[in-house]
Amino acid sequence: MSDDFIPYRSVHPPLSDTEIIELSKKHNLHMQHRRSVRNFSDQPIPEEVIDNIIDIASSAPSGAHKQPWTFCMVSNPDLKKRIREAAEKEEYENYHGRMTEEWLDDLKVFGTDWHKEFLEVAPYLIIVFKKSYDINDDGSTSKNYYVNESVGIACGFLLQAIHEMGLVSLTHTPSPMNFLANLLQRPKNEKAYLLIPIGYPSEKAQVPVLERKSLDQVLVKYT
Ligand code: IYR
């Protein structure tokens, strides 16, 4: 990579205080609308949209700009079916003994169980892999840094981009997730991080009534 620097160009010309407050309010309202959705429509989405969404995710900041991630896009129905079957096998075990009573109790409000129909219905599954190190073309390896933080931020960008398109997603973590690296034949430096179905919501999609923490519960100011 080059050691050169170029001038930073802001996306906006400088805004007035009134304008920037207005913009932040508008964007807050827009983002407060985002929900995790489990009922997907099978309505197709142009693949180019997924390309662009992943490109947005991959623009996220990362430790030493290593971009330690791979996004696998699955639309192949047979592969989606195999992912569903493997995920449901793990989730069955989770819901029947591996999760604590407290955990199951915390999940009641979401109405979830081991059935994961959305893994076949959603037109695309994005499986995000984190690369704890890189394997170079000559087979040597090089270090990545702050991998969990970096991939988490990229997933945040991904979720925001999906929301921006009027599409919905779910941050799904069928645990353990090793089956995904096997099914997708990923190299040994890649570990599944999140499974994110993307699609339009089904017409009958419902989401639980949830309250978000108020600002004063999450923000501490030192002025
Ligand atoms: N992975 C399971 C259980 C689950 C766990 C959490 I933490 C959630 O926020 C939701 C579900 C499942 O997907 O059903």
Side-chain angles (χ1 to χ4, degrees):
M1 202 188 308
S2 146
D3 289 332
D4 290 347
F5 283 76
I6 52 169
Y8 173 71
R9 304 242 178 264
S10 189
V11 71
H12 284 292
L15 301 175
S16 69
D17 285 358
T18 319
E19 286 169 327
I20 200 168
I21 289 168
E22 215 28 64
L23 187 60
S24 62
K25 273 191 191 158
K26 226 175 115 189
H27 195 57
N28 186 16
L29 275 180
H30 179 68
M31 288 311 296
Q32 293 298 335
H33 217 80
R34 188 207 55 80
R35 296 298 307 263
S36 291
V37 170
R38 293 180 168 78
N39 312 108
F40 287 81
S41 151
D42 61 2
Q43 188 183 332
I45 300 166
E47 203 173 299
E48 197 178 338
V49 173
I50 304 299
D51 293 346
N52 288 328
I53 285 174
I54 302 297
D55 214 28
I56 293 168
S58 193
S59 76
S62 60
H65 188 52
K66 296 282 187 174
Q67 299 180 270
W69 45 64
T70 302
F71 298 89
C72 293
M73 184 205 85
V74 177
S75 57
N76 177 287
D78 177 59
L79 194 48
K80 284 199 292 185
K81 183 165 184 275
R82 284 190 288 144
I83 290 173
R84 175 186 177 177
E85 284 166 2
E88 286 187 334
K89 204 164 151 228
E90 294 297 353
E91 294 290 28
Y92 184 89
E93 295 303 328
N94 291 335
Y95 281 91
H96 293 87
R98 286 207 294 230
M99 291 196 287
T100 61
E101 279 307 314
E102 182 182 2
W103 194 349
L104 290 171
D105 208 47
D106 278 339
L107 292 182
K108 274 200 181 119
V109 48
F110 304 101
T112 55
D113 62 21
W114 62 274
H115 294 96
K116 302 299 170 194
E117 193 189 10
F118 56 77
L119 293 174
E120 275 191 89
V121 178
Y124 296 100
L125 307 179
I126 304 299
I127 300 92
V128 186
F129 287 89
K130 64 175 182 184
K131 296 162 89 170
S132 37
Y133 58 94
D134 275 333
I135 304 176
N136 307 313
D137 291 343
D138 64 1
S140 63
T141 62
S142 45
K143 264 186 79 67
N144 288 331
Y145 309 93
Y146 299 101
V147 169
N148 277 318
E149 292 83 347
S150 303
V151 182
I153 295 167
C155 287
F157 275 41
L158 183 73
L159 299 188
Q160 167 147 7
I162 293 165
H163 178 62
E164 210 64 42
M165 307 296 114
L167 300 169
V168 293
S169 66
L170 178 68
T171 42
H172 183 44
T173 51
S175 168
M177 287 201 278
N178 325 339
F179 69 89
L180 290 166
N182 296 335
L183 278 174
L184 301 174
Q185 303 183 331
R186 301 313 304 160
K188 63 179 190 303
N189 61 327
E190 293 190 9
K191 249 189 112 181
Y193 184 84
L194 273 183
L195 197 178
I196 303 177
I198 303 182
Y200 286 102
S202 82
E203 264 170 38
K204 58 167 185 45
Q206 291 202 319
V207 292
V209 177
L210 296 179
E211 251 182 53
R212 292 193 166 117
K213 286 182 179 173
S214 65
L215 199 56
D216 62 357
Q217 288 174 291
V218 298
L219 172 62
V220 184
K221 292 184 174 175
Y222 303 82
T223 57

